[in-house]
Amino acid sequence: MARKSKAPEERPAKVDLDAFMKKARKFMRPYRVSKGKNFRLKDIDPGETAGLGSEAKPRSKEALQNGVQALAQLQDMLYAQDRWSVLLIFQAMDAAGKDGVIKHVMSGVNPQGCQVASFKTPSVEDLDHDFLWRCNKQLPERGRIGIFNRSYYEDVLVVKVHPEFLGSAKIPPRLIGKDIWENRYRDIRSYERYLANNGVIVRKFFLHVSRAEQKRRFLERIENPDKNWKFSASDAKERAHWKEYMKAYEEMIRETSTEDSPWYVVPADNKWFTRVVVVAAVIEALDSLDLHYPEVGADKLRELAAAKKALLAE
Ligand code: AMP
Ligand code: MG
């Protein structure tokens, strides 16, 4: 433990967490789903900004900066304490802003205490295993924040929209019945319960972008040479399945939102708003843990004093 403890002057600058959370909570709470039963996607408008107009944009940048600083402070203790780990899962349609959120929200965090994994089309090796396997390998170590850019939830999203993918997943045909999705939701709930029981805090974010805003962002990617690399023709093809995706997202949220691992359905048409909501939710999650720097005991103090004496006597 002492291996990771720090002199107070090396610790990140302090932000008044209580004051920050008091303000941030009112932005973030409406989007948290911890009981999915009555959840309806149409109740959350992707264009929502909690009543704030674009004049709030500069203030939101300041709030994000405060949030990032608070996060750095909490993450430093998380790492030093080396007990809990935090898993943040991001799911969204293309161009909803996952990459930008990850970049901005984690910008103040010590890279040593943070790990990001992106899950794309499964490899041959991935398909030779159960659907949780590739994600389970990438879980954050204790003391760290792990980010999943997509996750095992793709297996109840893209795979549900394209059930033919189940074929390439080499699942024995007789296990591919009508109840396959129900089973997967249940397995995910149990898996996340298991993680919670082992000190892994799970928070899930669905960045909810509108179809019209996605079109605008795709066009920007096509027209702006610096953004061409972000565009792939297959992304545009998936747009044709928009309704099926929304249905799959809604069902996923209804079935896998729990008190321990809630979903945040974050309006994503305005990036400045999305980022503030996400940072606030992450801070609340960390703040709910009993984070503190490890205490230096009497034995350790004696050891330090002896070492100092020996060094000075050289
Ligand atoms: P991107 O994150 O935009 O680079 O895209 C990754 C692509 O991989 C997306 O189109 C996902 O839908 C796809 N993908 C991720 N997981 C799976 C999966 N389990 N089965 C099939 N496709 C997947
Ligand atoms: Mg893509």
Side-chain angles (χ1 to χ4, degrees), residues 258-280:
T258 64
E259 205 56 59
D260 279 335
S261 21
W263 274 102
Y264 289 85
V265 181
V266 189
D269 280 5
N270 297 284
K271 291 178 177 173
W272 58 271
F273 186 68
T274 313
R275 290 167 188 172
V276 174
V277 171
V278 173
V279 80

mmCIF file of all heavy atoms in Angstrom, residues 258-280:
data_model
loop_
_atom_site.group_PDB
_atom_site.id
_atom_site.type_symbol
_atom_site.label_atom_id
_atom_site.label_comp_id
_atom_site.label_asym_id
_atom_site.label_seq_id
_atom_site.Cartn_x
_atom_site.Cartn_y
_atom_site.Cartn_z
ATOM 1 N N THR A 258 -29.804 -1.463 -13.004
ATOM 2 C CA THR A 258 -29.974 -1.880 -11.615
ATOM 3 C C THR A 258 -29.418 -0.791 -10.705
ATOM 4 O O THR A 258 -28.706 0.105 -11.163
ATOM 5 C CB THR A 258 -29.228 -3.201 -11.324
ATOM 6 O OG1 THR A 258 -27.824 -2.972 -11.496
ATOM 7 C CG2 THR A 258 -29.674 -4.336 -12.224
ATOM 8 N N GLU A 259 -29.740 -0.898 -9.439
ATOM 9 C CA GLU A 259 -29.245 0.077 -8.465
ATOM 10 C C GLU A 259 -27.709 0.069 -8.455
ATOM 11 O O GLU A 259 -27.081 1.115 -8.410
ATOM 12 C CB GLU A 259 -29.809 -0.304 -7.090
ATOM 13 C CG GLU A 259 -29.929 0.824 -6.095
ATOM 14 C CD GLU A 259 -30.765 2.010 -6.579
ATOM 15 O OE1 GLU A 259 -31.966 1.835 -6.900
ATOM 16 O OE2 GLU A 259 -30.199 3.117 -6.631
ATOM 17 N N ASP A 260 -27.128 -1.112 -8.516
ATOM 18 C CA ASP A 260 -25.667 -1.238 -8.487
ATOM 19 C C ASP A 260 -25.012 -0.785 -9.783
ATOM 20 O O ASP A 260 -23.922 -0.218 -9.772
ATOM 21 C CB ASP A 260 -25.259 -2.707 -8.276
ATOM 22 C CG ASP A 260 -25.342 -3.095 -6.833
ATOM 23 O OD1 ASP A 260 -25.229 -2.195 -5.980
ATOM 24 O OD2 ASP A 260 -25.544 -4.287 -6.559
ATOM 25 N N SER A 261 -25.623 -1.109 -10.905
ATOM 26 C CA SER A 261 -25.013 -0.685 -12.178
ATOM 27 C C SER A 261 -26.053 -0.022 -13.069
ATOM 28 O O SER A 261 -26.607 -0.641 -13.968
ATOM 29 C CB SER A 261 -24.329 -1.831 -12.910
ATOM 30 O OG SER A 261 -24.792 -3.065 -12.499
ATOM 31 N N PRO A 262 -26.293 1.280 -12.782
ATOM 32 C CA PRO A 262 -27.303 2.009 -13.535
ATOM 33 C C PRO A 262 -26.829 2.392 -14.944
ATOM 34 O O PRO A 262 -25.625 2.463 -15.201
ATOM 35 C CB PRO A 262 -27.486 3.284 -12.697
ATOM 36 C CG PRO A 262 -26.207 3.468 -11.957
ATOM 37 C CD PRO A 262 -25.663 2.087 -11.714
ATOM 38 N N TRP A 263 -27.780 2.619 -15.806
ATOM 39 C CA TRP A 263 -27.513 3.251 -17.104
ATOM 40 C C TRP A 263 -27.730 4.755 -16.958
ATOM 41 O O TRP A 263 -28.634 5.190 -16.239
ATOM 42 C CB TRP A 263 -28.487 2.738 -18.169
ATOM 43 C CG TRP A 263 -28.025 1.480 -18.829
ATOM 44 C CD1 TRP A 263 -28.471 0.211 -18.576
ATOM 45 C CD2 TRP A 263 -27.049 1.368 -19.875
ATOM 46 N NE1 TRP A 263 -27.811 -0.684 -19.380
ATOM 47 C CE2 TRP A 263 -26.941 0.003 -20.191
ATOM 48 C CE3 TRP A 263 -26.244 2.281 -20.575
ATOM 49 C CZ2 TRP A 263 -26.064 -0.473 -21.173
ATOM 50 C CZ3 TRP A 263 -25.383 1.810 -21.542
ATOM 51 C CH2 TRP A 263 -25.291 0.456 -21.832
ATOM 52 N N TYR A 264 -26.919 5.523 -17.651
ATOM 53 C CA TYR A 264 -27.199 6.941 -17.835
ATOM 54 C C TYR A 264 -27.546 7.135 -19.302
ATOM 55 O O TYR A 264 -26.732 6.790 -20.174
ATOM 56 C CB TYR A 264 -25.989 7.803 -17.477
ATOM 57 C CG TYR A 264 -25.723 7.838 -15.998
ATOM 58 C CD1 TYR A 264 -24.978 6.844 -15.391
ATOM 59 C CD2 TYR A 264 -26.240 8.861 -15.209
ATOM 60 C CE1 TYR A 264 -24.745 6.864 -14.022
ATOM 61 C CE2 TYR A 264 -26.013 8.891 -13.844
ATOM 62 C CZ TYR A 264 -25.265 7.892 -13.258
ATOM 63 O OH TYR A 264 -25.040 7.911 -11.905
ATOM 64 N N VAL A 265 -28.736 7.636 -19.556
ATOM 65 C CA VAL A 265 -29.149 7.899 -20.937
ATOM 66 C C VAL A 265 -28.897 9.385 -21.165
ATOM 67 O O VAL A 265 -29.663 10.235 -20.709
ATOM 68 C CB VAL A 265 -30.626 7.531 -21.133
ATOM 69 C CG1 VAL A 265 -31.056 7.782 -22.571
ATOM 70 C CG2 VAL A 265 -30.840 6.058 -20.769
ATOM 71 N N VAL A 266 -27.782 9.695 -21.815
ATOM 72 C CA VAL A 266 -27.291 11.073 -21.844
ATOM 73 C C VAL A 266 -27.635 11.741 -23.173
ATOM 74 O O VAL A 266 -27.222 11.248 -24.231
ATOM 75 C CB VAL A 266 -25.750 11.108 -21.665
ATOM 76 C CG1 VAL A 266 -25.273 12.536 -21.467
ATOM 77 C CG2 VAL A 266 -25.314 10.222 -20.512
ATOM 78 N N PRO A 267 -28.392 12.844 -23.133
ATOM 79 C CA PRO A 267 -28.698 13.553 -24.380
ATOM 80 C C PRO A 267 -27.387 13.921 -25.081
ATOM 81 O O PRO A 267 -26.484 14.474 -24.448
ATOM 82 C CB PRO A 267 -29.432 14.814 -23.909
ATOM 83 C CG PRO A 267 -29.996 14.448 -22.568
ATOM 84 C CD PRO A 267 -28.992 13.510 -21.964
ATOM 85 N N ALA A 268 -27.287 13.611 -26.383
ATOM 86 C CA ALA A 268 -25.966 13.727 -27.017
ATOM 87 C C ALA A 268 -25.943 14.624 -28.261
ATOM 88 O O ALA A 268 -24.961 14.632 -28.995
ATOM 89 C CB ALA A 268 -25.437 12.331 -27.352
ATOM 90 N N ASP A 269 -27.008 15.387 -28.470
ATOM 91 C CA ASP A 269 -26.967 16.298 -29.631
ATOM 92 C C ASP A 269 -26.096 17.523 -29.355
ATOM 93 O O ASP A 269 -25.667 18.201 -30.290
ATOM 94 C CB ASP A 269 -28.383 16.738 -30.028
ATOM 95 C CG ASP A 269 -29.094 15.674 -30.865
ATOM 96 O OD1 ASP A 269 -28.524 14.580 -31.048
ATOM 97 O OD2 ASP A 269 -30.228 15.934 -31.333
ATOM 98 N N ASN A 270 -25.900 17.848 -28.096
ATOM 99 C CA ASN A 270 -25.032 18.979 -27.735
ATOM 100 C C ASN A 270 -23.865 18.456 -26.915
ATOM 101 O O ASN A 270 -24.030 18.077 -25.758
ATOM 102 C CB ASN A 270 -25.824 20.007 -26.921
ATOM 103 C CG ASN A 270 -26.954 20.598 -27.738
ATOM 104 O OD1 ASN A 270 -26.733 21.440 -28.606
ATOM 105 N ND2 ASN A 270 -28.163 20.110 -27.497
ATOM 106 N N LYS A 271 -22.691 18.461 -27.543
ATOM 107 C CA LYS A 271 -21.530 17.813 -26.906
ATOM 108 C C LYS A 271 -21.184 18.437 -25.556
ATOM 109 O O LYS A 271 -20.797 17.733 -24.624
ATOM 110 C CB LYS A 271 -20.322 17.870 -27.843
ATOM 111 C CG LYS A 271 -20.494 16.986 -29.065
ATOM 112 C CD LYS A 271 -19.306 17.087 -29.998
ATOM 113 C CE LYS A 271 -19.501 16.126 -31.173
ATOM 114 N NZ LYS A 271 -18.455 16.284 -32.200
ATOM 115 N N TRP A 272 -21.287 19.755 -25.464
ATOM 116 C CA TRP A 272 -20.912 20.417 -24.202
ATOM 117 C C TRP A 272 -21.761 19.911 -23.054
ATOM 118 O O TRP A 272 -21.280 19.722 -21.936
ATOM 119 C CB TRP A 272 -21.006 21.950 -24.325
ATOM 120 C CG TRP A 272 -22.362 22.487 -24.707
ATOM 121 C CD1 TRP A 272 -22.820 22.684 -25.980
ATOM 122 C CD2 TRP A 272 -23.421 22.895 -23.829
ATOM 123 N NE1 TRP A 272 -24.099 23.182 -25.953
ATOM 124 C CE2 TRP A 272 -24.495 23.320 -24.644
ATOM 125 C CE3 TRP A 272 -23.580 22.940 -22.440
ATOM 126 C CZ2 TRP A 272 -25.714 23.787 -24.117
ATOM 127 C CZ3 TRP A 272 -24.788 23.398 -21.915
ATOM 128 C CH2 TRP A 272 -25.828 23.819 -22.750
ATOM 129 N N PHE A 273 -23.047 19.635 -23.335
ATOM 130 C CA PHE A 273 -23.946 19.152 -22.290
ATOM 131 C C PHE A 273 -23.627 17.693 -21.942
ATOM 132 O O PHE A 273 -23.538 17.322 -20.768
ATOM 133 C CB PHE A 273 -25.399 19.307 -22.738
ATOM 134 C CG PHE A 273 -26.391 18.973 -21.656
ATOM 135 C CD1 PHE A 273 -26.503 19.788 -20.537
ATOM 136 C CD2 PHE A 273 -27.181 17.837 -21.739
ATOM 137 C CE1 PHE A 273 -27.401 19.475 -19.515
ATOM 138 C CE2 PHE A 273 -28.077 17.517 -20.727
ATOM 139 C CZ PHE A 273 -28.188 18.342 -19.618
ATOM 140 N N THR A 274 -23.420 16.882 -22.964
ATOM 141 C CA THR A 274 -23.113 15.460 -22.758
ATOM 142 C C THR A 274 -21.925 15.295 -21.810
ATOM 143 O O THR A 274 -21.951 14.484 -20.881
ATOM 144 C CB THR A 274 -22.720 14.802 -24.106
ATOM 145 O OG1 THR A 274 -23.672 15.189 -25.094
ATOM 146 C CG2 THR A 274 -22.686 13.300 -24.011
ATOM 147 N N ARG A 275 -20.881 16.077 -22.055
ATOM 148 C CA ARG A 275 -19.632 15.918 -21.296
ATOM 149 C C ARG A 275 -19.822 16.271 -19.817
ATOM 150 O O ARG A 275 -19.280 15.591 -18.937
ATOM 151 C CB ARG A 275 -18.527 16.764 -21.925
ATOM 152 C CG ARG A 275 -18.120 16.174 -23.258
ATOM 153 C CD ARG A 275 -17.270 17.080 -24.097
ATOM 154 N NE ARG A 275 -17.106 16.472 -25.421
ATOM 155 C CZ ARG A 275 -16.543 17.077 -26.466
ATOM 156 N NH1 ARG A 275 -16.086 18.309 -26.351
ATOM 157 N NH2 ARG A 275 -16.440 16.451 -27.610
ATOM 158 N N VAL A 276 -20.588 17.322 -19.563
ATOM 159 C CA VAL A 276 -20.813 17.714 -18.167
ATOM 160 C C VAL A 276 -21.619 16.628 -17.435
ATOM 161 O O VAL A 276 -21.311 16.281 -16.291
ATOM 162 C CB VAL A 276 -21.524 19.089 -18.075
ATOM 163 C CG1 VAL A 276 -21.877 19.412 -16.638
ATOM 164 C CG2 VAL A 276 -20.628 20.184 -18.651
ATOM 165 N N VAL A 277 -22.619 16.085 -18.109
ATOM 166 C CA VAL A 277 -23.435 15.039 -17.475
ATOM 167 C C VAL A 277 -22.563 13.819 -17.153
ATOM 168 O O VAL A 277 -22.618 13.266 -16.050
ATOM 169 C CB VAL A 277 -24.631 14.632 -18.382
ATOM 170 C CG1 VAL A 277 -25.348 13.406 -17.822
ATOM 171 C CG2 VAL A 277 -25.605 15.793 -18.545
ATOM 172 N N VAL A 278 -21.713 13.425 -18.103
ATOM 173 C CA VAL A 278 -20.892 12.229 -17.887
ATOM 174 C C VAL A 278 -19.893 12.457 -16.749
ATOM 175 O O VAL A 278 -19.766 11.620 -15.853
ATOM 176 C CB VAL A 278 -20.165 11.786 -19.183
ATOM 177 C CG1 VAL A 278 -19.183 10.655 -18.893
ATOM 178 C CG2 VAL A 278 -21.174 11.344 -20.241
ATOM 179 N N VAL A 279 -19.214 13.606 -16.773
ATOM 180 C CA VAL A 279 -18.204 13.824 -15.723
ATOM 181 C C VAL A 279 -18.877 13.843 -14.342
ATOM 182 O O VAL A 279 -18.355 13.281 -13.377
ATOM 183 C CB VAL A 279 -17.338 15.088 -16.000
ATOM 184 C CG1 VAL A 279 -18.017 16.367 -15.605
ATOM 185 C CG2 VAL A 279 -16.003 14.987 -15.275
ATOM 186 N N ALA A 280 -20.050 14.441 -14.261
ATOM 187 C CA ALA A 280 -20.756 14.495 -12.978
ATOM 188 C C ALA A 280 -21.125 13.087 -12.505
ATOM 189 O O ALA A 280 -20.991 12.761 -11.315
ATOM 190 C CB ALA A 280 -22.009 15.361 -13.107
#
